[in-house]
Amino acid sequence: MSHWQNKRIIFSFISYTNGSLCLWQQGQQQGQASSPESLDASEETTDTEDHEEEDLGVLDDQRSIMLHLLSQLKLGMDLTRVVLPTFILEKRSLLEMYANFMAHPDMFLSITSGCTPEERIVRFVEYYLTAFHEGRKGAVAKKPYNPILGEHFHCSWYVPRDRVRPLRNTNCPGPNSAPTATPGSPQRGTDGSSRRNSDCYRVQFVAEQVSHHPPVSGFYCECKEKRMCVNTHVWTKSKFMGMSVGVSMVGEGVLYLLEHDEEYVFTLPCAYARSILTVPWVELGGKVTINCAKSGYSATVTFHTKPFYGGKVHRVTAEVQNNQTGNIVCKFTYSNGESKVIDTAKQPIIKKKIQPLEKQGPYESRRLWQHVTASLKAGNMDVATEHKHCLEERQRSEGKQRAATKTPWKPKYFIKEGGGWVYHNPLWKAH
């Protein structure tokens, strides 16, 4: 149970005028960002941002704003174009939230080391069950920034080799049983000790907002050495449900294990912000599927929403099935039940590494939203609103200019294929 309002802290802020701010933004858009392939690993630094939202309750003036807003909404109404108050923002872009799904990259890399198709899909489900507690950090019902068209986010993880689970059967063939070290510059391990790139696997991530109406994000993650990658596109659809807001993540992802020539197609759950006027809190809900056509294995993961009366919160169950025999080969539960339990509280998080702000391109999330974030940290909602409004106005202006010149929008990193979006240089095309 948590509240909307973030703790107010003392934070220095340089004064500005609307004109100078917007001129700065207009000038920055001419710059070019580096591609993920060209990012210098030696310049990456460990992310120190803490996105935990503290529980301090809803202020009376904020409740009045929410009541006024809710009075204008109808049940089932699409909230995509509704301007929501700044105080509900959580100081990061939705693109960065997707990156935090990879907070356990060691579990992700362990998937391809599974000796059998059954073991690999079980490992994938284990990873999937841990992905959301950090991506949706905490229970506070706050909303990430809506990415603007063309916004992108890059980061990497350095995963110590001894953190990746080896093959259970040492006689099982495959290059992952004896990884080859590659030279590199020193990096920091999760325990704070100095490590070299040769001691770690590098996992790279890039996300981009590829469409504004409808709002669609594409994100891609790969580890070249382990010959595995994942490509996902998500259309976020939000609707008003009375005292709740529901967000559907429409789309799908595909995990490619090139060593095994396997593809795992998966979907994503819905998210709900409950009790938005009293004690707002977040939960996931719905049934998602994971399917590997080649191996004949599939899995379902069910995020159980809390019943209106009684019941427990944040329950997740999963089961893996052999489609050819119909047998359930494995069952999981989270926080309840007697089957296998995944305790995310005991899973150490590997922090992502990012380029310093001054080396980021003008459309990279942290740099793009830096003034909004600083204002939110300072508790200055009026200034945060002004900066946010300036970004939105620039996006509208650029859209009108493209319409006037009949210039179609072209994403930087993703290509439209069928009903989805695919990274322009995926690992499976390079092998």
Side-chain angles (χ1 to χ4, degrees):
M1 299 294 182
S2 303
H3 302 285
W4 290 105
Q5 176 60 18
N6 189 34
K7 182 178 181 180
R8 293 177 179 270
I9 59 175
I10 304 300
F11 193 96
S12 60
F13 191 84
I14 300 174
S15 62
Y16 72 102
T17 63
N18 285 346
S20 63
L21 171 66
C22 291
L23 286 173
W24 178 86
Q25 296 284 8
Q26 292 284 356
Q28 290 294 320
Q29 72 184 32
Q30 302 302 321
Q32 295 294 322
S34 300
S35 67
E37 295 86 353
S38 65
L39 293 179
D40 187 346
S42 66
E43 293 180 342
E44 293 177 319
T45 59
T46 301
D47 183 25
T48 57
E49 286 290 326
D50 182 5
H51 295 288
E52 193 72 56
E53 301 289 347
E54 296 192 36
D55 180 3
L56 292 181
V58 182
L59 301 183
D60 288 339
D61 58 339
Q62 294 176 352
R63 183 177 284 107
S64 298
I65 293 172
M66 290 299 297
L67 279 170
H68 176 70
L69 175 63
L70 295 179
S71 68
Q72 303 176 60
L73 304 179
K74 297 180 180 179
L75 286 177
M77 182 176 180
D78 181 5
L79 299 179
T80 303
R81 296 173 185 261
V82 176
V83 179
L84 299 175
T86 303
F87 60 78
I88 72 168
L89 297 178
E90 68 168 68
K91 304 190 293 294
R92 63 172 170 171
S93 171
L94 180 64
L95 298 185
E96 182 172 351
M97 192 190 82
Y98 290 141
N100 285 346
F101 288 167
M102 289 296 298
H104 301 292
D106 51 334
M107 297 188 70
F108 175 73
L109 296 182
S110 296
I111 298 170
T112 196
S113 297
C115 198
T116 64
E118 178 180 318
E119 185 176 351
R120 288 191 290 275
I121 194 169
V122 168
R123 288 189 177 193
F124 185 23
V125 174
E126 289 176 345
Y127 156 73
Y128 194 95
L129 289 172
T130 68
F132 295 93
H133 80 102
E134 181 72 8
R136 169 69 269 169
K137 191 171 183 179
V140 179
K142 293 220 168 190
K143 178 182 176 298
Y145 308 141
N146 286 332
I148 73 168
L149 188 62
E151 178 183 336
H152 44 93
F153 181 81
H154 308 278
C155 64
S156 299
W157 295 266
Y158 289 85
V159 185
R161 294 176 185 274
D162 54 10
R163 287 281 299 277
V164 178
R165 281 197 299 169
L167 298 166
R168 291 180 182 172
N169 181 356
T170 55
N171 295 323
C172 181
N176 287 323
S177 58
T180 302
T182 54
S185 58
Q187 296 292 334
R188 285 279 166 185
T190 54
D191 58 358
S193 62
S194 179
R195 290 181 178 265
R196 295 180 62 86
N197 280 353
S198 57
D199 299 326
C200 300
Y201 296 108
R202 188 186 186 198
V203 180
Q204 293 178 275
F205 175 93
V206 58
E208 181 178 15
Q209 191 69 5
V210 296
S211 172
H212 184 55
H213 293 303
V216 180
S217 308
F219 59 93
Y220 173 82
C221 188
E222 72 174 24
C223 178
K224 288 185 171 67
E225 189 174 356
K226 297 287 279 184
R227 299 182 62 207
M228 60 188 299
C229 61
V230 60
N231 188 99
T232 308
H233 66 275
V234 183
W235 170 12
T236 51
K237 299 178 67 175
S238 57
K239 64 178 179 180
F240 178 57
M241 303 169 61
M243 288 297 99
S244 299
V245 172
V247 180
S248 300
M249 291 190 278
V250 181
E252 67 177 26
V254 184
L255 169 67
Y256 298 84
L257 303 183
L258 301 181
E259 178 184 346
H260 308 285
D261 193 28
E262 292 175 345
E263 299 178 10
Y264 296 76
V265 181
F266 61 93
T267 55
L268 297 166
C270 299
Y272 300 94
R274 306 293 194 188
S275 306
I276 55 181
L277 277 181
T278 54
V279 188
W281 55 285
V282 173
E283 68 174 341
L284 298 175
K287 181 177 289 187
V288 303
T289 59
I290 301 169
N291 186 64
C292 180
K294 179 183 178 181
S295 70
Y297 283 88
S298 64
T300 57
V301 180
T302 304
F303 294 83
H304 301 271
T305 55
K306 184 182 182 299
F308 190 77
Y309 293 107
K312 295 185 177 182
V313 296
H314 307 312
R315 287 189 58 241
V316 185
T317 59
E319 61 182 32
V320 178
Q321 176 177 290
N322 183 322
N323 296 335
Q324 295 176 340
T325 65
N327 293 334
I328 303 300
V329 300
C330 183
K331 286 189 176 183
F332 297 80
T333 64
Y334 173 70
S335 79
N336 185 33
E338 298 179 356
S339 301
K340 183 172 182 178
V341 175
I342 305 295
D343 188 350
T344 56
K346 295 181 180 179
Q347 297 290 334
I349 292 169
I350 297 178
K351 288 187 173 293
K352 60 183 177 287
K353 291 180 179 286
I354 58 175
Q355 294 283 311
L357 200 66
E358 65 273 10
K359 292 184 178 295
Q360 292 182 16
Y363 270 62
E364 294 193 49
S365 296
R366 289 274 182 97
R367 183 168 172 182
L368 188 70
W369 293 96
Q370 61 179 313
H371 299 301
V372 178
T373 300
S375 301
L376 289 175
K377 286 182 178 180
N380 194 332
M381 299 303 163
D382 291 337
V383 176
T385 300
E386 290 292 338
H387 284 292
K388 176 173 172 287
H389 177 70
C390 186
L391 289 175
E392 293 166 344
E393 281 298 308
R394 187 185 78 183
Q395 182 170 230
R396 283 189 279 269
S397 175
E398 291 173 354
K400 290 178 181 178
Q401 185 177 5
R402 285 193 300 272
T405 58
K406 297 182 179 180
T407 304
W409 169 256
K410 184 179 180 181
K412 185 178 180 68
Y413 299 114
F414 288 83
I415 301 170
K416 190 79 160 60
E417 287 192 5
W421 294 84
V422 177
Y423 184 61
H424 73 106
N425 186 30
L427 198 59
W428 69 81
K429 289 186 179 180
H431 290 72

